[in-house]
Amino acid sequence: MMPILRPHPPRAPDASAPPAHTLLRACTRASFDADGAAPALAQTVASGVDWDAFLALAERNRLLPLAHRALAERADVPETVRSHLRSAYAVNARHALQLAGELRRLLDALDQAGVRALAYKGPALAVRAYGHLALRTYSDLDLLVRPADVPTAEGVLRTHGYVSTYHFTPAQDAAFRRVDGDYPYHHPRTGGLVELHGRVSSTRFVAELPTERLMARARPVPIGGGDVPAPADDDLFLALCLHGAKHRWARLEWLACAAALAVRAAVDLSAVLRRAGEAGARRATLLALLLARDALGLALPADVEASIETDQSLDALAAEARGLWFADDVDTDEATPANLRFNARLMDGPSQRARYAARWLFLPSPEDWTWVRLPDALAPLYRVLRPLRLAARYGRRRGG
C-alpha cells in the first residue's frame, strides 16, 4: 500500500536549526512530496538563508540536483544561487548520461559472457527513486553478480580496460568473496569507476540479503532507450537501509533515496519490516523509517509506528545520524570505530551483536593482507594478526 504523506511538516522540527539546514531538508522532501515541502521552502527562504552555507551543505550531502529542482523557479532565491545550482545540475546530468551509457555497454558485455548482472544503485537507483538519471550525484557504477560469476565478470571488466584496485592471492580472493565481495575497478584512460559486488552487504554486518534471491526477484528499469535489470523495489529499499546504517546515514541523500523510492514505488513498508526481521536487519530498517518520518515527513503504517515507539533506543541513534548531515569532516568509512559502535547498537539482540563483534575482530580484510604478507599456507594466522593490527591502528589514534 502506498504511504500517504502528511500534509504538515516533518515531526520534531528543531526551531534552533539554522535556516540552511531547514531548507536542505525541505528541498529533499520536495523530491517526493512537493506540496508538503512548499510551506517550509517559502517560510525558510523568507526568513533569510546563509546561501554559501546552504550550497556547501547541499554539495557535501550530494543534494545539489534536488536543490536545483526545488529552487530553480523561485524568484525569491537569489539568481546567483540558482545559477550555481543550474550549472552543477548540468554538469551532473552530462556525467549521469555518460555513466548510463557505460552501464548499458558493460551489462551487454557481461550478458554476452553468460553473466547476469543487476544495476545496483547508480543510474538505476536514480530512475527508481526520482524518475530521472540526473537527480542523483554518483561517481561510479555498482554491478551485482552471483559470487560464482565474479571471476568471469572481472575478466569482462579487464577486457574493457578496467583495472582492479586489489591484487589477491587465491586464498585471499576466496576469503574476500565469502565475506565482503565488493571489488573496485577503475579505468585509467576514462577515469571510470566500477564496483563489482558479489553481495549487497558484507557478512560482517550479520544481515542476509542473498544474492540469488535478489537475482530471482529482479525487475527491469528503463535507461537509455532500453531496460536494465535491477533489484526489486522492496529488495532495493532494504539494501539502502543497510547501506545507510553501515555509514551512520552520514549523507542526507542516502535517506532521500530511500524515502523517495518508498513513495514512488509504493513500497509496502509493513511487509519490508517483516522481511527485515527475517534478514537480521529489523532495527536498521526501523532507524531508516524513523529518520525518514522525522526529517522528511514520510508517513508510516500504524504497525511500523508502534514498533518505532517501542524501541526507545532508536532516538539516540537517529539524533547521531541527523547531526552528521550538518557536521564538518565526517568520515563515512564503514570501518571507523564510531561507525562500528553505531552498528553494534543497531544489531537485533545480544546474539547478533556478539556475532557482529566477532566477525569484525577476526575476519581478515585487504588491509590485513597488506599489513603483513603471508603465504596462502599461513593464511589462518590472519585471524590472530587482525586484532593486533586493529589495536595498533585505533589504539594509536586514541592516544594521539
Side-chain angles (χ1 to χ4, degrees):
M1 181 171 61
M2 184 171 181
I4 305 300
L5 294 170
R6 298 180 180 84
H8 51 77
R11 289 187 179 186
D14 183 358
S16 65
H21 298 188
T22 304
L23 183 61
L24 188 65
R25 286 169 53 174
C27 289
T28 304
R29 187 184 187 188
S31 67
F32 59 86
D33 180 25
D35 291 340
L41 286 172
Q43 293 166 14
T44 307
V45 171
S47 71
V49 175
D50 181 336
W51 291 107
D52 288 339
F54 170 77
L55 292 173
L57 282 173
E59 182 172 10
R60 194 184 72 70
N61 282 277
R62 299 190 176 181
L63 287 169
L64 287 173
L66 293 187
H68 165 70
R69 186 165 78 165
L71 302 177
E73 304 301 324
R74 298 195 65 93
D76 52 355
V77 174
E79 172 56 27
T80 54
V81 174
R82 288 184 288 152
S83 176
H84 180 97
L85 292 173
R86 192 161 51 244
S87 296
Y89 178 81
V91 170
N92 189 63
R94 287 193 295 271
H95 187 56
L97 285 171
Q98 291 171 353
L99 285 176
E102 183 68 352
L103 174 64
R104 293 290 304 274
R105 186 172 78 100
L106 291 177
L107 287 174
D108 287 345
L110 288 165
D111 184 63
Q112 291 172 13
V115 175
R116 185 160 189 247
L118 303 188
Y120 168 54
K121 298 191 293 187
L125 176 55
V127 171
R128 288 307 302 135
Y130 303 130
H132 199 290
L133 284 171
L135 288 176
R136 283 194 74 229
T137 299
Y138 40 93
S139 58
D140 61 0
L141 297 173
D142 293 271
L143 303 176
L144 177 67
V145 302
R146 294 178 175 88
D149 286 336
V150 166
T152 304
E154 289 184 304
V156 171
L157 290 177
R158 287 193 295 269
T159 299
H160 284 76
Y162 286 88
V163 177
S164 175
T165 300
Y166 295 142
H167 302 283
F168 295 145
T169 68
Q172 290 169 354
D173 187 65
F176 186 78
R177 206 180 313 166
R178 263 193 324 270
V179 175
D180 295 304
D182 51 328
Y183 295 79
Y185 277 78
H186 70 279
H187 198 295
R189 182 176 59 81
T190 66
L193 302 172
V194 172
E195 189 134 346
L196 184 66
H197 299 260
R199 60 185 76 248
V200 298
S201 181
S202 168
T203 61
R204 299 175 196 277
F205 288 95
V206 205
E208 295 296 330
L209 289 181
T211 301
E212 197 60 49
R213 178 169 180 173
L214 299 182
M215 291 284 181
R217 288 166 44 82
R219 54 151 295 168
V221 175
I223 291 178
D227 290 338
V228 302
D233 297 320
D234 53 348
D235 289 335
L236 182 56
F237 184 83
L238 268 181
L240 294 177
C241 290
L242 289 172
H243 178 265
K246 76 179 182 180
H247 297 292
R248 287 192 294 165
W249 291 103
R251 289 191 187 128
L252 183 55
E253 197 275 332
W254 293 332
L255 186 67
C257 266
L261 176 68
V263 173
R264 183 178 179 83
V267 173
D268 184 336
L269 298 177
S270 297
V272 164
L273 186 58
R274 290 193 293 272
R275 269 198 64 203
E278 297 167 1
R282 188 174 189 276
R283 298 192 75 235
T285 303
L286 281 175
L287 176 62
L289 294 171
L290 167 62
L291 286 167
R293 181 195 72 181
D294 288 357
L296 304 179
L298 181 70
L300 305 178
D303 60 324
V304 175
E305 291 273 14
S307 295
I308 289 174
E309 299 307 319
T310 301
D311 192 342
Q312 297 180 356
S313 65
L314 289 174
D315 288 336
L317 291 163
E320 181 176 343
R322 285 193 297 267
L324 296 176
W325 301 335
F326 310 114
D328 296 325
D329 300 323
V330 176
D331 190 346
T332 62
D333 182 356
E334 65 191 50
T336 63
N339 280 9
L340 296 179
R341 287 193 297 268
F342 185 90
N343 278 273
R345 291 153 61 199
L346 265 182
M347 293 294 113
D348 290 345
S351 174
Q352 190 186 39
R353 192 171 295 115
R355 283 183 288 142
Y356 171 77
R359 290 181 185 185
W360 274 98
L361 190 58
F362 296 114
L363 290 180
S365 70
E367 290 80 7
D368 302 306
W369 301 326
T370 301
W371 189 57
V372 176
R373 297 187 182 277
L374 298 176
D376 280 357
L378 298 179
L381 289 178
Y382 281 115
R383 288 177 176 265
V384 178
L385 293 172
R386 177 174 171 82
L388 299 178
R389 182 185 70 81
L390 295 176
R393 176 180 178 181
Y394 295 115
R396 182 170 59 249
R397 181 176 295 183
R398 286 197 300 272

mmCIF file of all heavy atoms in Angstrom, residues 158-189:
data_model
loop_
_atom_site.group_PDB
_atom_site.id
_atom_site.type_symbol
_atom_site.label_atom_id
_atom_site.label_comp_id
_atom_site.label_asym_id
_atom_site.label_seq_id
_atom_site.Cartn_x
_atom_site.Cartn_y
_atom_site.Cartn_z
ATOM 1 N N ARG A 158 38.178 -6.341 -17.280
ATOM 2 C CA ARG A 158 39.561 -6.163 -17.749
ATOM 3 C C ARG A 158 39.607 -6.020 -19.268
ATOM 4 O O ARG A 158 40.368 -5.201 -19.805
ATOM 5 C CB ARG A 158 40.428 -7.337 -17.290
ATOM 6 C CG ARG A 158 40.743 -7.320 -15.790
ATOM 7 C CD ARG A 158 41.857 -8.308 -15.454
ATOM 8 N NE ARG A 158 41.440 -9.685 -15.697
ATOM 9 C CZ ARG A 158 40.870 -10.465 -14.785
ATOM 10 N NH1 ARG A 158 40.636 -9.999 -13.562
ATOM 11 N NH2 ARG A 158 40.543 -11.702 -15.073
ATOM 12 N N THR A 159 38.790 -6.795 -19.968
ATOM 13 C CA THR A 159 38.735 -6.704 -21.428
ATOM 14 C C THR A 159 38.325 -5.310 -21.882
ATOM 15 O O THR A 159 38.760 -4.823 -22.930
ATOM 16 C CB THR A 159 37.748 -7.751 -21.989
ATOM 17 O OG1 THR A 159 38.212 -9.054 -21.637
ATOM 18 C CG2 THR A 159 37.613 -7.637 -23.496
ATOM 19 N N HIS A 160 37.497 -4.664 -21.075
ATOM 20 C CA HIS A 160 37.011 -3.317 -21.427
ATOM 21 C C HIS A 160 37.866 -2.214 -20.813
ATOM 22 O O HIS A 160 37.432 -1.058 -20.710
ATOM 23 C CB HIS A 160 35.549 -3.170 -21.006
ATOM 24 C CG HIS A 160 34.603 -3.873 -21.933
ATOM 25 N ND1 HIS A 160 34.432 -5.231 -21.926
ATOM 26 C CD2 HIS A 160 33.801 -3.399 -22.932
ATOM 27 C CE1 HIS A 160 33.546 -5.577 -22.849
ATOM 28 N NE2 HIS A 160 33.163 -4.485 -23.477
ATOM 29 N N GLY A 161 39.072 -2.555 -20.392
ATOM 30 C CA GLY A 161 40.033 -1.535 -19.981
ATOM 31 C C GLY A 161 40.070 -1.219 -18.511
ATOM 32 O O GLY A 161 40.814 -0.319 -18.092
ATOM 33 N N TYR A 162 39.299 -1.923 -17.692
ATOM 34 C CA TYR A 162 39.274 -1.637 -16.257
ATOM 35 C C TYR A 162 40.371 -2.397 -15.529
ATOM 36 O O TYR A 162 40.731 -3.528 -15.900
ATOM 37 C CB TYR A 162 37.909 -1.989 -15.669
ATOM 38 C CG TYR A 162 36.827 -0.999 -16.045
ATOM 39 C CD1 TYR A 162 36.095 -1.153 -17.224
ATOM 40 C CD2 TYR A 162 36.567 0.109 -15.243
ATOM 41 C CE1 TYR A 162 35.119 -0.242 -17.579
ATOM 42 C CE2 TYR A 162 35.587 1.027 -15.589
ATOM 43 C CZ TYR A 162 34.867 0.854 -16.760
ATOM 44 O OH TYR A 162 33.908 1.756 -17.111
ATOM 45 N N VAL A 163 40.887 -1.768 -14.483
ATOM 46 C CA VAL A 163 41.983 -2.337 -13.697
ATOM 47 C C VAL A 163 41.528 -2.473 -12.255
ATOM 48 O O VAL A 163 40.934 -1.555 -11.678
ATOM 49 C CB VAL A 163 43.230 -1.430 -13.764
ATOM 50 C CG1 VAL A 163 44.356 -1.990 -12.888
ATOM 51 C CG2 VAL A 163 43.698 -1.280 -15.207
ATOM 52 N N SER A 164 41.815 -3.615 -11.649
ATOM 53 C CA SER A 164 41.394 -3.862 -10.277
ATOM 54 C C SER A 164 42.261 -3.098 -9.276
ATOM 55 O O SER A 164 43.484 -2.987 -9.454
ATOM 56 C CB SER A 164 41.456 -5.362 -9.961
ATOM 57 O OG SER A 164 41.147 -5.595 -8.596
ATOM 58 N N THR A 165 41.633 -2.618 -8.231
ATOM 59 C CA THR A 165 42.370 -1.996 -7.138
ATOM 60 C C THR A 165 43.085 -3.049 -6.311
ATOM 61 O O THR A 165 44.133 -2.788 -5.721
ATOM 62 C CB THR A 165 41.401 -1.198 -6.251
ATOM 63 O OG1 THR A 165 40.759 -0.193 -7.042
ATOM 64 C CG2 THR A 165 42.126 -0.525 -5.089
ATOM 65 N N TYR A 166 42.514 -4.249 -6.259
ATOM 66 C CA TYR A 166 43.056 -5.320 -5.425
ATOM 67 C C TYR A 166 43.864 -6.309 -6.254
ATOM 68 O O TYR A 166 43.563 -6.549 -7.429
ATOM 69 C CB TYR A 166 41.925 -6.085 -4.731
ATOM 70 C CG TYR A 166 41.128 -5.283 -3.737
ATOM 71 C CD1 TYR A 166 39.742 -5.459 -3.633
ATOM 72 C CD2 TYR A 166 41.732 -4.361 -2.893
ATOM 73 C CE1 TYR A 166 38.998 -4.739 -2.710
ATOM 74 C CE2 TYR A 166 40.996 -3.632 -1.979
ATOM 75 C CZ TYR A 166 39.628 -3.819 -1.885
ATOM 76 O OH TYR A 166 38.902 -3.117 -0.976
ATOM 77 N N HIS A 167 44.854 -6.905 -5.597
ATOM 78 C CA HIS A 167 45.647 -7.964 -6.194
ATOM 79 C C HIS A 167 45.792 -9.058 -5.144
ATOM 80 O O HIS A 167 46.684 -9.012 -4.295
ATOM 81 C CB HIS A 167 47.010 -7.431 -6.657
ATOM 82 C CG HIS A 167 46.912 -6.304 -7.639
ATOM 83 N ND1 HIS A 167 46.612 -6.502 -8.972
ATOM 84 C CD2 HIS A 167 47.026 -4.961 -7.474
ATOM 85 C CE1 HIS A 167 46.570 -5.339 -9.595
ATOM 86 N NE2 HIS A 167 46.812 -4.382 -8.711
ATOM 87 N N PHE A 168 44.884 -10.027 -5.201
ATOM 88 C CA PHE A 168 44.792 -11.049 -4.174
ATOM 89 C C PHE A 168 45.481 -12.346 -4.596
ATOM 90 O O PHE A 168 45.545 -12.673 -5.783
ATOM 91 C CB PHE A 168 43.323 -11.372 -3.874
ATOM 92 C CG PHE A 168 42.538 -10.245 -3.278
ATOM 93 C CD1 PHE A 168 41.191 -10.081 -3.598
ATOM 94 C CD2 PHE A 168 43.114 -9.357 -2.384
ATOM 95 C CE1 PHE A 168 40.445 -9.061 -3.040
ATOM 96 C CE2 PHE A 168 42.381 -8.326 -1.824
ATOM 97 C CZ PHE A 168 41.047 -8.177 -2.155
ATOM 98 N N THR A 169 45.939 -13.090 -3.596
ATOM 99 C CA THR A 169 46.319 -14.476 -3.828
ATOM 100 C C THR A 169 45.034 -15.297 -3.922
ATOM 101 O O THR A 169 43.949 -14.819 -3.546
ATOM 102 C CB THR A 169 47.177 -15.009 -2.677
ATOM 103 O OG1 THR A 169 46.359 -15.108 -1.503
ATOM 104 C CG2 THR A 169 48.372 -14.096 -2.398
ATOM 105 N N PRO A 170 45.101 -16.534 -4.402
ATOM 106 C CA PRO A 170 43.876 -17.347 -4.475
ATOM 107 C C PRO A 170 43.159 -17.488 -3.133
ATOM 108 O O PRO A 170 41.928 -17.397 -3.077
ATOM 109 C CB PRO A 170 44.395 -18.695 -4.987
ATOM 110 C CG PRO A 170 45.589 -18.342 -5.816
ATOM 111 C CD PRO A 170 46.234 -17.198 -5.085
ATOM 112 N N ALA A 171 43.895 -17.695 -2.056
ATOM 113 C CA ALA A 171 43.259 -17.844 -0.746
ATOM 114 C C ALA A 171 42.609 -16.543 -0.299
ATOM 115 O O ALA A 171 41.513 -16.538 0.270
ATOM 116 C CB ALA A 171 44.282 -18.312 0.298
ATOM 117 N N GLN A 172 43.285 -15.435 -0.552
ATOM 118 C CA GLN A 172 42.714 -14.138 -0.178
ATOM 119 C C GLN A 172 41.447 -13.846 -0.974
ATOM 120 O O GLN A 172 40.449 -13.367 -0.420
ATOM 121 C CB GLN A 172 43.755 -13.036 -0.410
ATOM 122 C CG GLN A 172 44.920 -13.082 0.556
ATOM 123 C CD GLN A 172 46.058 -12.158 0.134
ATOM 124 O OE1 GLN A 172 46.023 -11.558 -0.955
ATOM 125 N NE2 GLN A 172 47.076 -12.049 0.973
ATOM 126 N N ASP A 173 41.480 -14.153 -2.271
ATOM 127 C CA ASP A 173 40.307 -13.901 -3.094
ATOM 128 C C ASP A 173 39.120 -14.731 -2.630
ATOM 129 O O ASP A 173 37.990 -14.232 -2.568
ATOM 130 C CB ASP A 173 40.616 -14.203 -4.561
ATOM 131 C CG ASP A 173 39.482 -13.786 -5.475
ATOM 132 O OD1 ASP A 173 39.201 -12.584 -5.570
ATOM 133 O OD2 ASP A 173 38.855 -14.678 -6.083
ATOM 134 N N ALA A 174 39.356 -15.991 -2.303
ATOM 135 C CA ALA A 174 38.264 -16.846 -1.827
ATOM 136 C C ALA A 174 37.677 -16.301 -0.530
ATOM 137 O O ALA A 174 36.459 -16.273 -0.346
ATOM 138 C CB ALA A 174 38.773 -18.267 -1.629
ATOM 139 N N ALA A 175 38.546 -15.845 0.379
ATOM 140 C CA ALA A 175 38.070 -15.296 1.650
ATOM 141 C C ALA A 175 37.311 -13.994 1.430
ATOM 142 O O ALA A 175 36.261 -13.756 2.037
ATOM 143 C CB ALA A 175 39.247 -15.062 2.592
ATOM 144 N N PHE A 176 37.830 -13.144 0.541
ATOM 145 C CA PHE A 176 37.185 -11.859 0.288
ATOM 146 C C PHE A 176 35.811 -12.051 -0.336
ATOM 147 O O PHE A 176 34.851 -11.370 0.018
ATOM 148 C CB PHE A 176 38.068 -11.020 -0.629
ATOM 149 C CG PHE A 176 37.557 -9.619 -0.844
ATOM 150 C CD1 PHE A 176 37.734 -8.656 0.132
ATOM 151 C CD2 PHE A 176 36.906 -9.269 -2.014
ATOM 152 C CE1 PHE A 176 37.265 -7.358 -0.054
ATOM 153 C CE2 PHE A 176 36.432 -7.979 -2.202
ATOM 154 C CZ PHE A 176 36.617 -7.027 -1.220
ATOM 155 N N ARG A 177 35.705 -13.000 -1.269
ATOM 156 C CA ARG A 177 34.420 -13.245 -1.918
ATOM 157 C C ARG A 177 33.390 -13.771 -0.923
ATOM 158 O O ARG A 177 32.206 -13.474 -1.014
ATOM 159 C CB ARG A 177 34.597 -14.227 -3.076
ATOM 160 C CG ARG A 177 33.543 -14.064 -4.165
ATOM 161 C CD ARG A 177 33.737 -15.046 -5.286
ATOM 162 N NE ARG A 177 35.126 -15.116 -5.726
ATOM 163 C CZ ARG A 177 35.604 -16.071 -6.498
ATOM 164 N NH1 ARG A 177 34.817 -17.059 -6.892
ATOM 165 N NH2 ARG A 177 36.869 -16.069 -6.879
ATOM 166 N N ARG A 178 33.851 -14.569 0.046
ATOM 167 C CA ARG A 178 32.937 -15.115 1.058
ATOM 168 C C ARG A 178 32.431 -14.036 2.007
ATOM 169 O O ARG A 178 31.286 -14.072 2.434
ATOM 170 C CB ARG A 178 33.670 -16.178 1.903
ATOM 171 C CG ARG A 178 33.451 -17.606 1.477
ATOM 172 C CD ARG A 178 33.923 -18.589 2.523
ATOM 173 N NE ARG A 178 35.115 -18.205 3.245
ATOM 174 C CZ ARG A 178 36.360 -18.503 2.875
ATOM 175 N NH1 ARG A 178 36.564 -19.141 1.734
ATOM 176 N NH2 ARG A 178 37.383 -18.140 3.614
ATOM 177 N N VAL A 179 33.267 -13.080 2.338
ATOM 178 C CA VAL A 179 32.959 -12.136 3.415
ATOM 179 C C VAL A 179 32.481 -10.787 2.889
ATOM 180 O O VAL A 179 31.435 -10.282 3.301
ATOM 181 C CB VAL A 179 34.188 -11.945 4.329
ATOM 182 C CG1 VAL A 179 33.920 -10.875 5.384
ATOM 183 C CG2 VAL A 179 34.571 -13.263 4.987
ATOM 184 N N ASP A 180 33.250 -10.184 2.001
ATOM 185 C CA ASP A 180 32.942 -8.822 1.546
ATOM 186 C C ASP A 180 32.379 -8.808 0.124
ATOM 187 O O ASP A 180 31.264 -8.372 -0.098
ATOM 188 C CB ASP A 180 34.194 -7.949 1.630
ATOM 189 C CG ASP A 180 34.649 -7.759 3.073
ATOM 190 O OD1 ASP A 180 33.835 -7.300 3.882
ATOM 191 O OD2 ASP A 180 35.810 -8.082 3.385
ATOM 192 N N GLY A 181 33.172 -9.214 -0.828
ATOM 193 C CA GLY A 181 32.649 -9.393 -2.181
ATOM 194 C C GLY A 181 32.428 -8.152 -2.995
ATOM 195 O O GLY A 181 31.737 -8.192 -4.008
ATOM 196 N N ASP A 182 33.030 -7.002 -2.611
ATOM 197 C CA ASP A 182 32.892 -5.800 -3.440
ATOM 198 C C ASP A 182 34.273 -5.435 -3.993
ATOM 199 O O ASP A 182 35.173 -5.064 -3.268
ATOM 200 C CB ASP A 182 32.292 -4.640 -2.648
ATOM 201 C CG ASP A 182 33.012 -4.380 -1.340
ATOM 202 O OD1 ASP A 182 33.523 -5.351 -0.738
ATOM 203 O OD2 ASP A 182 33.082 -3.218 -0.908
ATOM 204 N N TYR A 183 34.406 -5.574 -5.304
ATOM 205 C CA TYR A 183 35.689 -5.400 -5.987
ATOM 206 C C TYR A 183 35.701 -4.065 -6.728
ATOM 207 O O TYR A 183 34.971 -3.889 -7.707
ATOM 208 C CB TYR A 183 35.916 -6.525 -6.989
ATOM 209 C CG TYR A 183 36.069 -7.900 -6.392
ATOM 210 C CD1 TYR A 183 34.955 -8.631 -5.971
ATOM 211 C CD2 TYR A 183 37.327 -8.479 -6.248
ATOM 212 C CE1 TYR A 183 35.095 -9.905 -5.427
ATOM 213 C CE2 TYR A 183 37.475 -9.752 -5.714
ATOM 214 C CZ TYR A 183 36.364 -10.458 -5.302
ATOM 215 O OH TYR A 183 36.503 -11.718 -4.763
ATOM 216 N N PRO A 184 36.530 -3.099 -6.317
ATOM 217 C CA PRO A 184 36.601 -1.817 -7.032
ATOM 218 C C PRO A 184 37.510 -1.900 -8.256
ATOM 219 O O PRO A 184 38.602 -2.469 -8.199
ATOM 220 C CB PRO A 184 37.178 -0.863 -5.979
ATOM 221 C CG PRO A 184 37.928 -1.739 -5.029
ATOM 222 C CD PRO A 184 37.296 -3.099 -5.067
ATOM 223 N N TYR A 185 37.040 -1.314 -9.349
ATOM 224 C CA TYR A 185 37.799 -1.241 -10.598
ATOM 225 C C TYR A 185 37.822 0.206 -11.076
ATOM 226 O O TYR A 185 36.865 0.960 -10.858
ATOM 227 C CB TYR A 185 37.155 -2.113 -11.677
ATOM 228 C CG TYR A 185 37.550 -3.566 -11.606
ATOM 229 C CD1 TYR A 185 36.983 -4.421 -10.669
ATOM 230 C CD2 TYR A 185 38.513 -4.080 -12.470
ATOM 231 C CE1 TYR A 185 37.355 -5.757 -10.599
ATOM 232 C CE2 TYR A 185 38.884 -5.414 -12.420
ATOM 233 C CZ TYR A 185 38.309 -6.246 -11.475
ATOM 234 O OH TYR A 185 38.692 -7.561 -11.407
ATOM 235 N N HIS A 186 38.912 0.574 -11.738
ATOM 236 C CA HIS A 186 38.980 1.902 -12.347
ATOM 237 C C HIS A 186 39.495 1.773 -13.771
ATOM 238 O O HIS A 186 40.180 0.796 -14.124
ATOM 239 C CB HIS A 186 39.885 2.830 -11.532
ATOM 240 C CG HIS A 186 41.347 2.471 -11.601
ATOM 241 N ND1 HIS A 186 41.912 1.478 -10.822
ATOM 242 C CD2 HIS A 186 42.356 2.961 -12.375
ATOM 243 C CE1 HIS A 186 43.196 1.370 -11.095
ATOM 244 N NE2 HIS A 186 43.492 2.251 -12.035
ATOM 245 N N HIS A 187 39.158 2.760 -14.579
ATOM 246 C CA HIS A 187 39.587 2.784 -15.982
ATOM 247 C C HIS A 187 40.654 3.875 -16.120
ATOM 248 O O HIS A 187 40.340 5.063 -15.984
ATOM 249 C CB HIS A 187 38.407 3.084 -16.899
ATOM 250 C CG HIS A 187 38.637 2.717 -18.322
ATOM 251 N ND1 HIS A 187 39.593 3.339 -19.101
ATOM 252 C CD2 HIS A 187 38.048 1.770 -19.124
ATOM 253 C CE1 HIS A 187 39.572 2.830 -20.312
ATOM 254 N NE2 HIS A 187 38.664 1.866 -20.351
ATOM 255 N N PRO A 188 41.919 3.513 -16.351
ATOM 256 C CA PRO A 188 42.987 4.520 -16.373
ATOM 257 C C PRO A 188 42.786 5.621 -17.407
ATOM 258 O O PRO A 188 43.197 6.762 -17.184
ATOM 259 C CB PRO A 188 44.242 3.689 -16.707
ATOM 260 C CG PRO A 188 43.911 2.296 -16.290
ATOM 261 C CD PRO A 188 42.438 2.144 -16.539
ATOM 262 N N ARG A 189 42.150 5.307 -18.527
ATOM 263 C CA ARG A 189 42.007 6.310 -19.586
ATOM 264 C C ARG A 189 40.816 7.230 -19.353
ATOM 265 O O ARG A 189 40.935 8.456 -19.450
ATOM 266 C CB ARG A 189 41.879 5.630 -20.958
ATOM 267 C CG ARG A 189 41.762 6.613 -22.125
ATOM 268 C CD ARG A 189 41.740 5.893 -23.460
ATOM 269 N NE ARG A 189 40.626 4.960 -23.558
ATOM 270 C CZ ARG A 189 39.378 5.321 -23.866
ATOM 271 N NH1 ARG A 189 39.083 6.592 -24.085
ATOM 272 N NH2 ARG A 189 38.425 4.408 -23.950
#
